[in-house]
Amino acid sequence: MTEGQVQGTDAAAAFANMIEMARLQRLSVTDLFGYAEARSAAGAPAEAIEVYKAWLAYNEAHPLLHLVYFNYAVTVRQAGDLTGSIHALRMAIKLDPKFGQAQINLGRAYEDAGLGVLAINQWRSFIELTGEATADKVAHRVMVLQHIGRVMENAGLLEEAEPSMWQAIELRPDKLETGQHWSAIRQRLCKWPILTPSDHVSLRQLIDALSPLSLGSYSDDPIFQLAKAYRYNKSLVGRPDTSGFARKTVARKAGTGARLRVGYVSSDLRDHAVGFALREVLELHDKDRVEIYAYYCGDPVANDPTQNRMKAAIDCWREIGQVTDEQAARLIADDDIDILIDVNGYTKHARTRIFAYRPAPVIVNFCGYPGSMGSPFHQYMITDELVVPEENRVYYSETVKYIPCTQPVDRKRLIAAKPSRKEAGLPEKAFVYACFNGMQKITQATFGQWMQILTAVPKSVLWILTGGDSVDQRLRDLAKAAGIEPERIIFAPKAGNAQHLARVGVADLFLDTFPYGAHSTAADSLTVGLPVLTFPGKTFAARFCHSIVHAAGLPDLICNGPEDYVARAIAFGRDPKSLQAVRDQLAANRETSVLRDMPGLARRLEDIYWEMQEEAERGETPVPDLRNLDTYYEIGAELVQANLVYQDDAAYRAQYLDKLAALHDFAPIPFDDRLWTADAAARR
């Protein structure tokens, strides 16, 4: 008899013994769980399930019956039996209605079955049962409230999701993830002020909970933005165990004629603003210089036009959405990627932990996220000199490499036939101000500026994307309170991409938002001939739009702050003919502008990738500068509570230096190369 046969015989005997022990009520719960876990781990879940069934059949009066049903539910769910898991969880709850983890798992099972309403009702029934405050009950109550909010948010029920999340925050304000979702929802709902503390939750706790992306729409504070990214990275990624993951060495390629292997990692390599931006660039890469790999980590999509174009253009396409971060990193390392591009940053479905394994010698932040990663493993960032001028490099932990314009475009984008104003739902004679940025970018200050503009230009309307019935009505009410007829706010319904691009051109002037300005929406508007009015701030998100407008050849539309922005918008509205020269200039520059020079951008990117490679081969790959970021965070968290709308650079830096000097006087702070330099300290 072979060793395998012996092991099989032993396993069969053990299985039969377990069944018999369960029948005789002599199998303890501890032994049951241990056996079931071992057989499941050994790839024999069917045996574990049968022993569970036997135990449940013959131990109906056992005091821990509810726990056995729960573990049985977990085992059958892992074996793919969702229906069986639901039945078992119902039994566990019937035996102990306040069994929190069973209540939570049953809701998750309903959600997995596509029954979101049943999941929410399940969790709500548990909340009604758990009013008493014990540590376990509070923890389960918070988890259930989070799940309710998450499911509602994913279903687009933002108004309904917000109160559930707020209840969870008040119970556990230290749970930052809930606060991140809550503040992001309020931004999308235009509920101002966004951060509203209570007796149980402080303003500082709400600021701590802001995600880096949401902070971009809340404050124009680049040093705090960097410090927030740094803290977020430590919380999100931490220090994964990389002991079994060998650090990639630099391949010697400079001067050899070998191609450079470049990998793009993103969940947005599809019909998405980022996918639209990158697809022609990928098509234009010089295959004699670079070999392009794409690692798609988003949800699977079928017959996606952007993916079809990318797959046809690149050397290798890999789907990594269903594998772990470590497995994805090993795949990238096995592909011997030289330059790895993070095209997500801290955005939805990002897989930041992959980069923590350092699966390539050089890691770059580009195109997907408007800011610094503040991580120890992103060594470079690619942008342009208007987004990050030389004096602003101190706000970024990465070493910056410059391209002509940070916003790639696809010159092959399909644009439908331009509609009439009537077809677009607009009045024929009115001056149409437009903004097609997401609702989360519209701040109380920006909306107030728009109301000033509409007040000064009576025969004008504001055309913005719909945020849903409740948001649209909220903005109409706010307009009415500002003395503007609600019907002068016109909401554009959702439309296909080609149709949306076509209708954009019927407006007169695009009004940018602040501090998070237009990105692809600005490029789209300029592409179809709509002038964009903007003013730059200090953060990446607040400087991006003015870079795009400049690249389109319209520097005169870049204002000197909010007051100039309002005045210029009013002047154009009162004298619409003055915009014709701007439109003519935009049309004349269209195909020769920096904004649409995609062959030039592709060549410049390749040059940058080779510069990075040569620096790596010389041992000169930069180390991200993360000094004093905890100190900058503490100062920024205090200053941002004032939520100042706009500051000039001198005033902004002075307030930080005042705080740094006071802290240094109490306990010395090591000098860095940002704001707290030896020279700056000497001048205090």
Side-chain angles (χ1 to χ4, degrees):
M1 186 178 289
T2 66
E3 182 180 347
Q5 289 172 323
V6 171
Q7 290 176 347
T9 301
D10 291 345
F15 172 66
N17 182 58
M18 285 288 172
I19 294 289
E20 182 65 9
M21 294 282 283
R23 186 182 69 83
L24 297 173
Q25 299 181 348
R26 291 167 54 190
L27 180 58
S28 71
V29 170
T30 301
D31 289 342
L32 169 64
F33 290 170
Y35 175 81
E37 184 177 346
R39 296 314 293 157
S40 294
E47 294 178 16
I49 290 169
E50 287 305 314
V51 173
Y52 268 126
K53 286 181 178 178
W55 195 98
L56 290 166
Y58 299 113
N59 293 267
E60 188 176 356
H62 198 285
L64 298 180
L65 185 62
H66 63 295
L67 286 178
V68 177
Y69 268 114
F70 177 80
N71 278 32
Y72 170 58
V74 172
T75 302
V76 296
R77 180 69 181 93
Q78 290 172 343
D81 184 1
L82 180 58
T83 302
S85 179
I86 289 173
H87 281 302
L89 288 167
R90 284 175 176 167
M91 285 302 301
I93 292 168
K94 184 177 181 180
L95 291 164
D96 182 1
K98 295 185 180 181
F99 187 1
Q101 197 57 54
Q103 293 269 11
I104 291 166
N105 281 22
L106 181 55
R108 292 296 300 268
Y110 285 143
E111 183 186 358
D112 290 342
L115 304 172
V117 174
L118 271 182
I120 291 169
N121 289 340
Q122 179 65 39
W123 291 324
R124 280 179 168 165
S125 69
F126 175 68
I127 288 173
E128 292 172 3
L129 289 171
T130 55
E132 71 274 23
T134 65
D136 285 344
K137 293 297 187 294
V138 168
H140 288 143
R141 190 180 180 89
V142 168
M143 190 177 298
V144 165
L145 287 165
Q146 288 173 327
H147 283 318
I148 290 173
R150 175 181 55 78
V151 172
M152 286 182 165
E153 180 185 13
N154 291 340
L157 302 172
L158 303 186
E159 295 280 2
E160 295 82 356
E162 187 208 345
S164 292
M165 289 186 174
W166 180 249
Q167 290 177 54
I169 292 169
E170 288 212 303
L171 286 170
R172 288 292 303 276
D174 58 315
K175 292 285 188 181
L176 300 184
E177 184 179 358
T178 312
Q180 289 168 13
H181 284 272
W182 176 81
S183 56
I185 283 173
R186 285 183 65 84
Q187 286 178 325
R188 290 167 64 188
L189 291 175
C190 296
K191 287 194 171 181
W192 306 316
I194 298 300
L195 304 184
T196 53
S198 72
D199 291 341
H200 309 291
V201 186
S202 69
L203 181 57
R204 169 60 189 267
Q205 287 172 316
L206 294 175
I207 287 169
D208 286 342
L210 279 168
S211 73
L213 197 62
S214 293
L215 178 61
S217 293
Y218 187 78
S219 172
D220 182 34
D221 187 335
I223 199 75
F224 186 55
Q225 186 78 44
L226 170 60
K228 169 68 76 172
Y230 168 72
R231 294 254 301 219
Y232 189 77
N233 186 273
K234 288 198 295 183
S235 172
L236 177 72
V237 177
R239 294 186 63 182
D241 182 6
T242 60
S243 57
F245 202 103
R247 186 72 64 89
K248 292 293 291 185
T249 57
V250 181
R252 301 293 169 178
K253 292 191 172 181
T256 68
R259 292 195 296 171
L260 200 61
R261 282 195 175 183
V262 178
Y264 291 86
V265 182
S266 179
S267 63
D268 299 327
L269 302 177
R270 55 186 172 85
D271 274 0
H272 178 278
V274 172
F276 296 150
L278 276 180
R279 60 191 183 187
E280 188 178 2
V281 171
L282 296 183
E283 291 172 335
L284 290 170
H285 270 314
D286 184 348
K287 299 303 177 61
D288 291 331
R289 302 184 74 195
V290 292
E291 188 177 357
I292 302 299
Y293 283 63
Y295 299 92
Y296 176 64
C297 59
D299 294 330
V301 290
N303 196 30
D304 182 270
T306 294
Q307 285 195 357
N308 292 341
R309 278 180 58 181
M310 288 181 172
K311 290 175 181 178
I314 66 175
D315 297 277
C316 182
W317 177 276
R318 299 204 186 279
E319 303 266 348
I320 61 171
Q322 305 306 310
V323 303
T324 67
D325 295 328
E326 182 176 355
Q327 289 169 335
R330 289 192 184 281
L331 178 63
I332 294 167
D334 289 344
D335 285 337
D336 290 325
I337 298 299
D338 300 300
I339 312 292
L340 189 63
I341 316 296
D342 182 354
V343 194
N344 262 125
Y346 299 126
T347 60
K348 190 174 182 180
H349 298 313
R351 298 284 295 279
T352 313
R353 188 181 290 261
I354 291 173
F355 302 94
Y357 289 96
R358 293 175 170 85
V362 175
I363 296 174
V364 184
N365 169 18
F366 172 56
C367 195
Y369 173 69
S372 177
M373 292 298 291
S375 92
F377 39 84
H378 288 78
Q379 301 136 335
Y380 293 98
M381 180 174 71
I382 298 174
T383 184
D384 65 61
E385 292 183 275
L386 287 178
V387 173
V388 182
E390 184 68 32
E391 63 273 18
N392 283 15
R393 286 189 180 214
V394 296
Y395 303 138
Y396 301 85
S397 60
E398 305 94 336
T399 293
V400 180
K401 295 282 188 179
Y402 288 131
I403 53 178
C405 178
T406 304
Q407 178 65 55
V409 298
D410 176 19
R411 298 170 300 172
K412 302 175 186 177
R413 288 277 292 279
L414 294 176
I415 303 174
K418 185 176 180 179
S420 66
R421 282 202 167 177
K422 183 177 181 181
E423 290 170 332
L426 297 169
E428 293 287 351
K429 302 295 185 181
F431 188 93
V432 178
Y433 295 104
C435 181
F436 302 108
N437 293 348
M439 283 288 175
Q440 73 278 6
K441 296 184 181 182
I442 302 176
T443 65
Q444 188 171 9
T446 291
F447 192 77
Q449 291 158 8
W450 291 349
M451 295 304 98
Q452 291 180 50
I453 294 165
L454 293 184
T455 299
V457 186
K459 294 182 179 180
S460 67
V461 297
L462 175 64
W463 190 29
I464 57 180
L465 293 175
T466 180
D469 291 345
S470 63
V471 183
D472 295 354
Q473 188 58 51
R474 181 172 295 113
L475 294 181
R476 288 192 186 101
D477 291 343
L478 288 169
K480 185 176 181 180
I484 300 296
E485 298 90 335
E487 57 270 20
R488 291 177 65 190
I489 313 294
I490 300 174
F491 296 93
K494 292 182 179 179
N497 190 256
Q499 289 70 34
H500 174 64
L501 284 174
R503 69 181 177 180
V504 166
V506 305
D508 290 301
L509 182 66
F510 185 108
L511 297 177
D512 194 20
T513 51
F514 185 87
Y516 200 132
H519 294 182
S520 59
T521 49
D524 289 345
S525 298
L526 293 164
T527 293
V528 297
L530 177 62
V532 175
L533 192 70
T534 187
F535 64 92
K538 292 174 284 296
T539 62
F540 193 117
R543 297 185 63 81
F544 200 161
C545 185
H546 100 288
S547 165
I548 296 169
V549 173
H550 191 276
L554 298 176
D556 291 344
L557 291 186
I558 300 169
C559 303
N560 298 316
E563 293 181 1
D564 187 32
Y565 165 85
V566 170
R568 300 275 294 281
I570 291 171
F572 281 127
R574 289 175 173 173
D575 182 15
K577 292 181 180 179
S578 63
L579 268 177
Q580 189 56 50
V582 176
R583 287 182 175 273
D584 291 344
Q585 185 180 359
L586 181 57
N589 294 343
R590 189 176 190 271
E591 296 307 322
T592 58
S593 68
V594 171
L595 182 61
R596 293 178 66 81
D597 183 11
M598 291 305 99
L601 175 59
R603 296 295 83 75
R604 176 58 187 148
L605 284 172
E606 291 154 15
D607 289 344
I608 287 173
Y609 297 153
W610 274 105
E611 287 174 16
M612 294 173 178
Q613 174 67 18
E614 291 169 4
E615 288 170 5
E617 291 185 26
R618 295 194 301 268
E620 298 173 1
T621 300
V623 176
D625 183 1
L626 306 175
R627 289 174 293 169
N628 286 342
L629 289 184
D630 283 321
T631 300
Y632 284 110
Y633 184 90
E634 292 303 317
I635 294 173
E638 178 184 346
L639 293 173
V640 81
Q641 294 186 45
N643 197 19
L644 297 176
V645 175
Y646 182 81
Q647 281 183 297
D648 63 42
D649 288 350
Y652 169 74
R653 292 191 179 216
Q655 66 179 355
Y656 265 93
L657 285 170
D658 288 345
K659 297 286 186 182
L660 285 162
L663 289 176
H664 182 72
D665 185 56
F666 178 76
I669 302 171
F671 296 123
D672 56 50
D673 293 329
R674 291 198 168 88
L675 303 183
W676 189 240
T677 64
D679 287 345
R683 293 196 297 269
R684 303 312 294 172

